[in-house]
């Protein structure tokens, strides 16, 4: 069977911990979208691993697959594999031949476009990893795929077509001299050919490339269990998220089929678990109706750090929850849980279960609020509107829950669901009821031992 793990909010919901927890029972852990813009933290045997591309299951000896829906920077891939090897691990990572390659010029263009957009306050706040430009070239049928790296003639042909276009874009459209860039080789066919041909050789020598669809279908036919590790989250999905403040892929559950080639029926027969952070965080720009305080540079229209009561609360939650970007180190914006957002997410993904994380972070507060509905142009609505402009105009209507105390969360995790403080259970049950999906797990600390497991989807 398959279990698909999906971020229900804006990314950073703690998916890595849940993949790690349930992934024990999986034989294969596959990613279906995104690239090294993700940040997964896995704590294993007292050692903390921060991964941005390699599926986190690889830390525990699972076969890790990067599906065709992913965009792959081979520099990051081999750096992460080497780091794991230096720590004594032997990760088994397979890469889809159909996956697209993030080339150095994609990263440069990501930065240039963000700079240009920032002149009119339109920047997305990307991770700068070249994700958007790579998916653009995929859709534009001018991308370089992993399979192309294996054949030097094809690689050279692809580069000779695309690189002059990128060079012209930089020089003619953005009016920047390539030779003055930090990395002019990013636009040099010969330099790129040499470096990426070697990556292709290494992928071939280490037998890392697969037809992901066939590989996963065969694994299922052999009775193996597959876990799909979604990166980012529903509200930054290119189709179902808060466009244009989105990533360029489909973190939603449908992406698991398209992004790996395992058929949708098989995925729907399995479980789809929505990962919910007990409050909200957001990296980058875009609306956030339940936002507490703000972050200068990211919160729209927020130019100066305030010091009101909500700002203090925002700072408290940010510090308690360690809400700083795994990839970029940037402070994350924080807010109360947003139910219209989650209802949209539950509908788009079809969650069969929920894992609610970071419940411990809110412990000790007198009260905990939830945006239950929105008011938009004088009307009460219960789901997120489809346009960013309308979402920007939404005002959250809050429900207030009594807070819960700080307790020994490890002991709670040992004892089980009933040991969770009653007010926290009331909060969790409200979320489950509103989303019509049962609670499978409750995260009460960063380690996987600090998780209250209610249901194991593989059992
Ligand atoms: P990109 O994916 O680098 O193109 O960034 C697009 C948007 O998605 C930006 O707002 C990023 O902050 C956000 N984003 C990308 N990856 C993640 C993630 O793993 N967690 C949270 N936000 C992300």
């Amino acid at each position: 069977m398959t279990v698909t793990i999906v971020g229900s909010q804006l990314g950073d919901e703690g998916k890595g911990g849940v993949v790690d927890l349930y992934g024990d029972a999986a034989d294969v852990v596959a990613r279906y979208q995104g690239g090294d813009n993700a940040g997964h933290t896995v704590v294993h045997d007292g050692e903390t691993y921060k991964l941005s591309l390699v599926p986190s299951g690889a830390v525990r000896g699972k076969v890790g697959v990067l599906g065709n829906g992913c965009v792959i920077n081979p520099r990051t891939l081999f750096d992460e594999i080497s780091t794991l090897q230096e720590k004594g691990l032997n990760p088994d990572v397979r890469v889809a031949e159909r996956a697209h390659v993030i080339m150095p010029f994609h990263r440069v263009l990501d930065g240039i476009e963000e700079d240009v957009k920032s002149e009119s306050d339109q920047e997305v706040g990307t991770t700068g990893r070249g994700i958007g430009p790579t998916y653009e070239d995929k859709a534009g049928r001018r991308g370089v795929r992993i399979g192309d790296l294996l054949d030097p003639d094809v690689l050279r042909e692809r580069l000779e077509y695309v690189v002059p276009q990128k060079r012209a874009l930089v020089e003619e459209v953005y009016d920047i001299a390539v030779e003055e860039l930090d990395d002019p080789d990013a636009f040099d066919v010969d330099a790129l050919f040499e470096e990426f041909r070697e990556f292709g050789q290494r992928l071939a020598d280490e037998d890392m490339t697969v037809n992901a669809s066939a590989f996963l279908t065969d694994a299922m036919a052999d009775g193996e269990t597959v876990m799909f590790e979604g990166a980012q989250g529903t509200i930054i999905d290119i189709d179902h998220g808060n466009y244009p403040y989105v990533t360029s892929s489909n973190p939603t559950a449908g992406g698991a089929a398209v992004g790996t080639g395992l058929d949708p029926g098989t995925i729907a027969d399995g479980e789809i678990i929505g990962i919910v952070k007990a409050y909200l965080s957001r990296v980058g720009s875009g609306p956030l109706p339940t936002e507490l305080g703000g972050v200068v540079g990211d919160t729209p229209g927020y130019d100066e750090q305030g010091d009101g009561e909500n700002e203090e609360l925002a700072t408290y939650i940010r510090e308690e929850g360690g809400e700083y970007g795994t990839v970029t180190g940037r402070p994350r914006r924080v807010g109360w849980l947003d139910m219209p957002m989650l209802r949209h997410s539950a509908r788009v993904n079809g969650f069969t279960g929920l894992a609610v994380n970071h419940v411990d972070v809110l412990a000790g507060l007198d009260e905990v609020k939830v945006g239950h509905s929105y008011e938009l142009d004088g009307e009460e609505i219960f789901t997120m509107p489809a346009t960013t402009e309308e979402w920007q105009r939404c005002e959250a209507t809050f429900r207030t829950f009594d807070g819960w105390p700080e307790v020994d969360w490890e002991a709670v995790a040992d004892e089980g669901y009933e040991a969770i403080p009653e007010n926290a259970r009331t909060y969790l049950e409200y979320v489950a009821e509103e989303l019509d999906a049962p609670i499978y797990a409750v995260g009460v600390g960063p380690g996987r031992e600090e998780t209250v497991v209610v249901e194991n989807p593989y059992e």
Side-chain angles (χ1 to χ4, degrees), residues 279-280 290 292 313 317 335-338 365 367-369 398:
Y279 51 90
L280 271 190
T290 59
L292 285 159
L313 200 49
I317 294 174
W336 294 122
L337 201 65
D338 184 322
L365 299 179
E367 51 184 38
V368 173
K369 291 189 184 179
F398 290 98

Side-chain angles (χ1 to χ4, degrees), residues 1-70:
M1 74 168 294
T2 67
V3 172
T4 305
I5 302 294
V6 180
S8 66
Q9 296 150 322
L10 292 138
D12 310 313
E13 299 92 350
K15 293 177 291 293
V18 179
V19 170
D20 196 29
L21 177 76
Y22 291 141
D24 251 358
D27 301 297
V28 180
V29 178
R31 278 189 57 183
Y32 52 90
Q33 45 72 231
D36 55 349
N37 50 344
H40 290 177
T41 308
V42 181
V43 183
H44 175 47
D45 279 350
E47 183 94 55
T48 300
Y49 299 90
K50 287 195 185 294
L51 299 170
S52 60
L53 182 59
V54 168
S56 38
V59 171
R60 290 185 195 278
K62 311 295 171 186
V63 179
V65 175
L66 293 167
N68 53 276
C70 295

Side-chain angles (χ1 to χ4, degrees), residues 418-439:
E418 293 304 320
I420 296 174
E422 190 182 348
N423 290 346
R425 276 185 282 132
T426 304
Y427 184 78
L428 293 167
E429 283 151 26
Y430 159 81
V431 175
E433 200 167 307
E434 290 290 325
L435 303 187
D436 197 21
I439 301 281

Side-chain angles (χ1 to χ4, degrees), residues 9-13 15 31 33-40 52 110 114 123-133 135 231-233 235-237 244-249 281-286 298 325-328 330 332:
Q9 296 150 322
L10 292 138
D12 310 313
E13 299 92 350
K15 293 177 291 293
R31 278 189 57 183
Q33 45 72 231
D36 55 349
N37 50 344
H40 290 177
S52 60
D110 196 351
E114 282 285 278
E123 71 270 36
V124 174
T126 72
T127 60
R129 298 297 190 265
I131 305 296
Y135 280 113
Q232 290 85 43
I235 309 305
I236 52 175
D237 181 287
Y245 304 106
V246 290
T247 191
S248 301
S249 67
S281 68
R282 177 165 203 163
V283 186
S285 197
D298 280 349
T326 317
V327 174
T328 59
R330 282 152 63 186
R332 297 179 183 143

Side-chain angles (χ1 to χ4, degrees), residues 6 16 90 147 186 208 254 269 272 299 332 376 380 412 456 459:
V6 180
N90 187 20
M208 288 172 69
D269 279 345
I272 297 168
T299 306
R332 297 179 183 143
L376 175 64
E380 187 178 28
V412 168
N456 187 328
E459 281 170 4

Side-chain angles (χ1 to χ4, degrees), residues 113-125 244-245 284-286 296-303 392:
E113 184 155 9
E114 282 285 278
D115 277 352
V116 171
K117 282 186 166 174
S118 72
E119 287 165 16
S120 52
D121 274 345
Q122 292 190 62
E123 71 270 36
V124 174
Y245 304 106
S285 197
V296 176
D298 280 349
T299 306
Y302 195 82
D303 306 322
Q392 184 86 62

